[in-house]
Amino acid sequence: MKGLLSRILNRGAPPVEPEVAPASADLQPERPFVAIGDVHGRVDLLLEIDRLIEARCPGWPVVFLGDYVDRGEQSRDVLDLLMSVSPQDTPPVVCLMGNHERMLLDFLDDPAKNGPRWLRNGGLQALASFGVAPPRGGSTDPAALDEVRERLAAAMGAAMIAWLRARPLSWHSGNVWAVHAAADPELPMTDQSDNVLLWGHPEFLRKPRADGQWVVHGHTVVEAPQASAGRIAVDTGAYATGRLTAAAISADGVSFIQTGEG
């Protein structure tokens, strides 16, 4: 990311030595890249991992796997930073949509219908990051949810909402695909449904793909990052554990870069 996020705070940090997964003859990205797991409102970890990536993989393209908002306390700060980078940067930075961005947008589109689920799943923390109080009538009061929706939309602004709506659901380099949640192992990657890419698939973690395609993903929290059977999992529950994980992916293998605990 050119150290772009790091330079905002003008801070430095020593690199950590990544763990390395064995190389696979099937792992063939067009060029090396870095995939970053679920940030969930932890701008401190986002800035830290940016420094570590700059030290280990300078100039590599970066793809964020979604879930920038909710749960953690700094959703707004995370979005502000990510909106400052783009696929047109050198190196390019791509930000995918996660299911939590989808829930936030669904709330904005229909607060009475979609508000209760979003608020139960970290939306309260996202509201607080924008300085918006929770619904005074409770999470099932349509009038209160409408009021919160108006205040949140005003606090976010049209540009941020449009940026969220424009997030792609997948990205790939060679035979390595980046998605938020999962892919149906029975379907070509180009035929995946939005729902599967955002929310998962029951066979994704159980059945390897037969087409030689690899999938790097977040969404499902793992104790340690993993690369096997055509899947690369990097969601290590950063908002709760303090461990935000990135996968540095090349034809030589997969190395994991991770922030410290706390």
Side-chain angles (χ1 to χ4, degrees):
M1 282 174 283
K2 307 182 296 184
L4 174 62
L5 304 182
S6 301
R7 289 198 293 271
I8 292 174
L9 293 189
N10 193 30
R11 298 187 300 186
V16 295
E17 196 66 29
E19 299 179 7
V20 179
S24 167
D26 295 331
L27 193 66
Q28 298 175 352
E30 291 175 2
R31 62 177 292 189
F33 71 95
V34 176
I36 300 177
D38 305 28
V39 178
H40 275 308
R42 289 294 302 265
V43 75
D44 55 332
L45 301 181
L46 175 56
L47 290 164
E48 182 182 348
I49 206 161
D50 176 55
R51 294 190 295 270
L52 299 175
I53 290 168
E54 181 68 10
R56 294 294 310 181
C57 308
W60 288 27
V62 173
V63 56
F64 286 88
L65 300 178
D67 278 10
Y68 316 119
V69 301
D70 301 346
R71 304 197 190 283
E73 304 296 327
Q74 301 157 324
S75 293
R76 179 174 197 161
D77 295 329
V78 169
L79 292 178
D80 282 341
L81 283 177
L82 293 182
M83 287 178 66
S84 71
V85 294
S86 83
Q88 284 71 51
D89 286 341
T90 304
V93 180
V94 175
C95 298
L96 302 183
M97 182 182 291
N99 66 304
H100 281 260
E101 286 75 56
R102 184 67 266 165
M103 283 193 288
L104 187 159
L105 292 170
D106 289 345
F107 168 73
L108 293 174
D109 292 339
D110 192 338
K113 177 182 177 182
N114 301 310
R117 179 175 68 167
W118 179 56
L119 295 175
R120 287 195 308 270
N121 286 281
L124 289 173
Q125 289 88 346
L127 286 177
S129 77
F130 285 95
V132 176
R136 287 178 292 181
S139 63
T140 59
D141 183 327
L145 289 169
D146 282 342
E147 181 185 357
V148 169
R149 185 264 176 217
E150 294 306 313
R151 287 188 280 125
L152 177 60
M156 292 178 69
M160 181 176 286
I161 294 171
W163 184 85
L164 284 174
R165 293 192 189 280
R167 293 310 85 215
L169 298 184
S170 67
W171 177 90
H172 75 103
S173 177
N175 72 335
V176 186
W177 292 75
V179 307
H180 174 62
D184 183 341
E186 295 290 344
L187 292 178
M189 289 303 300
T190 53
D191 293 342
Q192 300 291 321
S193 73
D194 293 0
N195 188 66
V196 165
L197 295 174
L198 287 172
W199 294 95
H201 189 277
E203 294 298 316
F204 176 62
L205 300 179
R206 296 197 289 261
K207 183 174 183 179
R209 300 190 65 83
D211 59 2
Q213 303 298 295
W214 281 71
V215 180
V216 56
H217 67 97
H219 188 68
T220 300
V221 176
V222 291
E223 184 175 351
Q226 306 164 5
S228 64
R231 295 180 296 269
I232 305 169
V234 293
D235 182 4
T236 45
Y239 73 94
T241 66
R243 297 190 301 272
L244 178 62
T245 298
I249 301 168
S250 73
D252 295 326
V254 181
S255 33
F256 296 114
I257 304 169
Q258 195 172 82
T259 62
E261 296 187 17

